[in-house]
Amino acid sequence: MASMTMIQALNSALDNMMERDPNVLTFGEDVGYFGGVFKVTEHLQKKYGAKRCFDAPINENGIAGVAIGMAAYGLRPVIEIQFADYMYPAYDQLVSEAARLRYRSAGDFTAPLTVRMPYGGGIRGGQTHSQSPEALFTHVAGLKTVIPSTPYDAKGLLISCIEEDDPVIFMEPKRIYNGPFDGFHDRQVSPWSKHAASEVPEGYYKIPLGKANIVREGEAVTVLAYGTMVHVALAAAEEAGIDAEVIDLRTLVPVDNETIEASISKTGRCVIVHEATRTSGYGAELSAMIQERCFYKLEAPIQRVTGYDTPYPHSLEWEYFPTPPRIIKAMRRVMEA
Amino acid sequence: MDDMSSRKSNALDLHIPAPRARPGDKPDFSGWSFPEPGATPKPDIDESAVEMRDFAYGLIRVLDMEGNALGPWTPHISADDLRRGLKNMLLLRAYDERMHRAQRQGKTSFYMQSLGEEAISIAQAMALAPDDMCFPSYRQQGILIARGYPLVDMMHQIYSNARDPMKGRQLPVMYSSKKDGFFTISGNLATQVPQAVGWAMASAYSNDGRIAAAWLGEGSTAEGDFHAAMTFANVYRAPVIINVVNNQWAISSFQGIAGGENTTFAARAVGYGIPPLRVDGNDFLAVYAATQWAAERARANLGPTMIELFSYRAGPHSTSDDPSRYRPADEARQWPLGDPIERLRDHLVSLGEWSEEQHRAAQEEAIETVRAVGREAEKVGVLGPGAAHTRESMFEDVYKDMPWHLREQRDEQGEA
Ligand SMILES: Cc1ncc(C[n+]2csc(CCOP(=O)(O)OP(=O)(O)O)c2C)c(N)n1
């Protein structure tokens, strides 16, 4: 065991997989010599050579298209889209191609690739370094979408993604790369080393896709969150003094319906938290699913706490970001009903 | 307003490219120049891209219009192989003809023929190794025919029937066969080109000996994917052949709309530092030789080649298209570089390896083969309810293992 930040844990996952499987290789903008702008691929080129970890031209469409061809050949490429905001040029390759090769060829060709992308706000990144586009992927048949919230999960989930035979979108909450964020931007952020989830085995281990994690047990209300928002939701639960059950979804598609249903059946109340914009966001999917499956268990209307339906504002970042007070308000509202 | 009139002396004017002839006009190919057959030199495979600049603006031709093979690009190919190539082109033409008609008869929704371009897919497939991976567009069905893929399975795909290897999920003509080195076709133009580059890079990464080849239309070279592919192919020296089939028309838009007015499509390779070859696409021997050259280059680890195959789309774009509405009706017949089948026929005849009688017999045999296979495929079923794969199959292959939400949707669909 070692104490790791999420960045180090992700690096360790790649290191483990490249060590184990010569078919695993990684590339993207600045990924090789420099080790990535967030250093997730640091040392990998030195250790495995430039053929297994290399810099790509600034062409996300090409990065994705080339990775699909490699995956169809039989390799297991892991590509880095430098910021999730830059996956739009790659979107056609991911949606029309990676997601559908298996289906359209009736299993003849597959694309087992992993697309890593740092996402989310809270780092003063402005409109083009802060977006949370997960719903653009969860809506696509054929893709799996995974978002970790701790170093331990990040490593175990990324290893599972690389071993997956389907294409996976792996979104990394960059706000918590170096330490969990409790949503209070004016409070000192504690480093990962102060948290149990930073204890990460050096070797190989997996966390299965499709399994959520109950990170705080409670009886009064279920809070569904993923990525950075798991920590904001936990802070809210503490501050509110409400016996909330906080569930970290970890995998958005396929989502762990059983864990969600069991929790809602127990609490009868639900608050959904994500930092992406609200309209047609992933929270809408969760809400609809719960209505369909747990309507008669519900004691109150489901509440969503999300980013607003605006582009990401630079200077008003902290007004935009879902914060513990906003979550607490939603929790109180469902408790009153 | 005052401002406007005072600037009028140097007023700008927007240029919208237009073809030389529209319906009712006489076909006009005077804008093209056609270098003499045999006149283009043949460089070594390790020639630098810079030295090959002129190849982007010339045209490699071997066969003259009398059927003689001339010059250094004349490939070493046996009479048996030439006859095989010719028969495959005849088979492809007969197949296209029947499937086009099948669509008119309502047996399928859609079809796309390769009329006039048969030499490209057939000669290129023959020049490549059988296990090289092809990333075709929708007009290279000839690759499957040349590689001996069962014609009946191609028809099952066209009819989306219970034996359709694609389980009725793809538009007709979008075949896939991994074992025959034929990549699953996308309806999104040009997406296959970076994928081919990636496959080629993976092959090089794995110290494999196989190379990749991609095909796209000249219209599709305007897509970003093409340029992404050229960049990656050049940067990583991928063992790939990028084939631009310039058949002059992208649905109703002439090749000038894709940027072909002031330059050639082969010239795009120059800026990427990729050796260009520009080839008479209706000349079986030239297409074969150019592909062989590029394949040798790739196999020698010298990197990519881009080939522009200069041809003419003699038929409609697809069964949903009527070309007489945007180009002179007899333009195809006037194409100065002729018909690929007739040109190879004339060559074989001039060699004394073929005759008019043999040709007619081969033509009839091709038509008869397609007719017999057609009957067999139609017995299994044509497009329509009842003939398709089971409805549960719709939910398969979205993921390797079916997740709970798809299982639920499948069961719900079954109850409806
Ligand atoms: C991304 C995309 N845009 C538009 C289309 C519609 N479309 C299908 S074929 C075609 C013309 C393509 O022309 P070209 O690349 O020259 O190939 P050709 O049909 O001549 O072989 C168009 C516009 C498409 N399939 N995909």
Side-chain angles (χ1 to χ4, degrees):
Chain A
M1 286 282 201
S3 175
M4 295 188 197
T5 66
M6 189 182 288
I7 289 172
Q8 290 163 336
L10 291 164
N11 180 266
S12 172
L14 287 165
D15 191 357
N16 267 271
M17 290 309 291
M18 289 174 83
E19 178 113 53
R20 284 169 80 93
D21 183 355
N23 286 328
V24 175
L25 77 169
T26 186
F27 61 101
E29 293 155 25
D30 304 296
V31 158
Y33 185 81
F34 185 60
V37 292
F38 290 104
K39 297 287 173 202
V40 173
T41 56
E42 197 167 29
H43 309 307
L44 295 177
Q45 184 174 81
K46 208 163 195 178
K47 187 159 174 193
Y48 297 103
K51 284 182 191 139
R52 298 192 61 195
C53 174
F54 57 85
D55 294 328
I58 303 170
N59 189 318
E60 293 74 17
N61 179 41
I63 293 170
V66 159
I68 290 166
M70 287 179 167
Y73 177 93
L75 303 184
R76 289 190 177 266
V78 183
I79 57 173
E80 178 176 301
I81 301 294
Q82 202 159 66
F83 287 84
D85 311 70
Y86 307 130
M87 69 82 195
Y88 303 113
Y91 196 57
D92 182 48
Q93 283 287 349
L94 297 177
V95 173
S96 311
E97 304 295 315
R100 295 197 210 145
L101 288 194
R102 183 190 294 280
Y103 193 73
R104 78 175 192 222
S105 69
D108 198 21
F109 288 94
T110 60
L113 77 153
T114 304
V115 186
R116 290 184 37 244
M117 55 178 88
Y119 85 97
I123 61 145
R124 289 283 189 218
Q127 281 178 56
T128 55
H129 303 86
S130 305
Q131 293 167 74
S132 302
E134 64 272 19
L136 298 185
F137 295 112
T138 59
H139 192 56
V140 179
L143 294 180
K144 295 186 173 178
T145 302
V146 176
I147 302 183
S149 70
T150 65
Y152 181 84
D153 280 11
K155 177 170 174 180
L157 286 167
L158 182 55
I159 288 177
S160 290
C161 291
I162 297 171
E163 291 191 346
E164 261 288 314
D165 290 328
D166 290 311
V168 191
I169 306 295
F170 186 83
M171 294 174 59
E172 300 169 6
K174 61 182 172 293
R175 182 65 188 83
I176 55 173
Y177 262 163
N178 289 304
F181 175 60
D182 63 6
F184 293 98
H185 67 92
D186 44 2
R187 263 184 4 200
Q188 186 75 34
V189 173
S190 60
W192 271 117
S193 55
K194 296 224 158 72
H195 296 262
S198 75
E199 284 301 305
V200 174
E202 311 257 13
Y204 170 95
Y205 68 94
K206 290 211 284 187
I207 293 182
L209 303 190
K211 284 269 163 278
N213 190 18
I214 302 171
V215 290
R216 184 187 199 275
E217 290 198 23
E219 303 286 330
V221 50
T222 301
V223 182
L224 300 178
Y226 48 90
T228 306
M229 285 302 129
V230 171
H231 304 278
V232 180
L234 283 170
E238 291 306 319
E239 302 265 327
I242 291 174
D243 186 18
E245 179 144 296
V246 179
I247 297 180
D248 174 1
L249 296 178
R250 296 203 286 208
T251 305
L252 306 193
V253 174
V255 74
D256 183 353
N257 63 313
E258 286 174 5
T259 299
I260 296 171
E261 279 178 56
S263 179
I264 305 280
S265 301
K266 178 174 68 173
T267 63
R269 294 178 161 86
C270 183
V271 172
I272 297 163
V273 191
H274 63 58
E275 51 174 299
T277 49
R278 173 170 311 193
T279 301
S280 300
Y282 187 68
E285 172 56 36
L286 288 172
S287 173
M289 188 185 90
I290 293 162
Q291 289 276 128
E292 279 170 357
R293 308 172 84 87
C294 311
F295 181 77
Y296 294 105
K297 299 277 170 55
L298 285 173
E299 313 259 350
I302 298 164
Q303 294 292 312
R304 283 180 288 168
V305 182
T306 69
Y308 299 112
D309 287 339
T310 70
Y312 201 91
H314 182 235
S315 69
L316 297 175
E317 183 161 46
W318 304 118
E319 315 302 317
Y320 178 89
F321 219 72
T323 49
R326 283 175 60 196
I327 298 172
I328 291 166
K329 208 162 129 197
M331 286 165 128
R332 298 240 154 92
R333 208 175 300 136
V334 297
M335 292 310 295
E336 280 158 16
Chain B
M1 279 318 275
D2 278 357
D3 239 326
M4 285 272 276
S5 50
S6 65
R7 282 206 226 124
K8 234 183 178 147
S9 57
N10 61 351
L12 299 168
D13 188 22
L14 181 66
H15 173 66
I16 309 290
R20 284 173 174 260
R22 284 296 193 186
D25 298 339
K26 248 170 64 93
D28 179 4
F29 296 111
S30 59
W32 300 117
S33 68
F34 303 109
E36 287 303 309
T40 309
K42 188 175 181 185
D44 292 336
I45 54 167
D46 60 355
E47 185 65 281
S48 75
V50 175
E51 292 296 320
M52 290 195 60
R53 196 178 174 281
D54 289 350
F55 286 83
Y57 302 97
L59 193 67
I60 296 168
R61 301 179 64 196
V62 172
L63 287 174
D64 68 14
M65 300 314 277
E66 280 75 54
N68 304 302
L70 305 169
W73 283 94
T74 305
H76 299 288
I77 176 168
S78 70
D80 275 347
D81 281 343
L82 287 178
R83 272 189 293 266
R84 195 156 57 85
L86 184 63
K87 285 180 182 171
N88 275 334
M89 286 202 282
L90 288 170
L91 190 58
L92 169 56
R93 191 165 284 186
Y95 173 78
D96 274 351
E97 210 275 323
R98 183 168 177 111
M99 292 296 99
H100 188 82
R101 202 147 31 87
Q103 191 277 339
R104 294 283 182 253
Q105 294 164 345
K107 292 173 184 166
T108 187
S109 54
F110 180 80
Y111 192 71
M112 296 175 106
Q113 36 177 351
S114 59
L115 188 69
E117 303 170 32
E118 292 91 344
I120 294 167
S121 55
I122 300 287
Q124 294 204 277
M126 287 177 70
L128 293 168
D131 56 355
D132 289 335
M133 184 60 85
C134 297
F135 289 76
S137 168
Y138 44 66
R139 232 182 277 286
Q140 283 79 44
Q141 55 270 50
I143 295 169
L144 282 176
I145 288 179
R147 287 188 166 173
Y149 184 85
L151 218 49
V152 68
D153 288 336
M154 292 174 71
M155 286 195 195
H156 290 322
Q157 199 279 332
I158 300 299
Y159 290 141
S160 297
N161 65 24
R163 298 229 183 104
D164 170 6
M166 269 49 300
K167 300 192 187 173
R169 293 171 188 164
Q170 279 271 49
L171 204 60
V173 312
M174 304 221 168
Y175 314 96
S176 169
S177 180
K178 190 174 180 176
K179 73 171 174 35
D180 296 286
F182 192 93
F183 194 71
T184 161
I185 296 178
S186 177
N188 294 36
L189 294 171
T191 50
Q192 72 278 15
V193 192
Q195 294 164 12
V197 173
W199 195 97
M201 287 170 69
S203 183
Y205 171 88
S206 309
N207 306 123
D208 196 339
R210 293 176 294 165
I211 64 170
W215 285 261
L216 76 162
E218 89 289 344
S220 308
T221 61
E223 287 283 358
D225 293 73
F226 168 71
H227 300 275
M230 294 291 277
T231 299
F232 279 76
N234 161 44
V235 168
Y236 304 107
R237 232 177 275 166
V240 65
I241 307 173
I242 297 177
N243 297 295
V244 174
V245 181
N246 180 0
N247 64 9
Q248 321 268 342
W249 292 94
I251 310 187
S252 69
S253 303
F254 90 116
Q255 51 89 32
I257 294 293
E261 223 178 11
N262 303 321
T263 188
T264 68
F265 290 92
R268 299 190 177 196
V270 175
Y272 290 99
I274 294 176
L277 297 178
R278 191 160 179 269
V279 183
D280 175 354
N282 290 13
D283 176 343
F284 188 95
L285 294 185
V287 173
Y288 184 90
T291 310
Q292 210 176 33
W293 186 92
E296 272 178 42
R297 196 182 136 73
R299 270 185 242 290
N301 217 28
L302 293 163
T305 303
M306 192 202 123
I307 306 179
E308 175 183 349
L309 299 129
F310 194 52
S311 184
Y312 186 92
R313 192 195 76 213
H317 170 74
S318 73
T319 43
S320 316
D321 176 48
D322 174 8
S324 73
R325 296 174 64 170
Y326 53 80
R327 66 186 191 187
D330 56 344
E331 201 177 65
R333 262 173 286 129
Q334 309 278 332
W335 177 237
L337 298 178
D339 177 87
I341 293 184
E342 290 169 15
R343 287 178 67 190
L344 184 57
R345 175 199 64 194
D346 293 350
H347 175 58
L348 270 166
V349 170
S350 79
L351 291 178
E353 296 284 355
W354 197 241
S355 67
E356 286 295 343
E357 299 76 64
Q358 276 174 298
H359 193 76
R360 258 194 308 278
Q363 221 163 5
E364 268 159 36
E365 194 190 322
I367 292 167
E368 194 37 58
T369 302
V370 169
R371 193 178 292 146
V373 174
R375 277 195 294 263
E376 195 187 333
E378 286 178 28
K379 245 187 264 157
V380 177
V382 296
L383 181 68
H389 276 263
T390 62
R391 61 181 184 176
E392 300 87 71
S393 78
M394 177 163 74
F395 298 91
E396 294 163 5
D397 303 312
V398 180
Y399 300 94
K400 185 177 177 205
D401 303 309
M402 201 180 292
W404 68 268
H405 63 282
L406 276 176
R407 281 200 307 273
E408 280 192 4
Q409 289 169 27
R410 179 198 58 194
D411 296 347
E412 189 189 311
Q413 206 263 2
E415 286 158 13

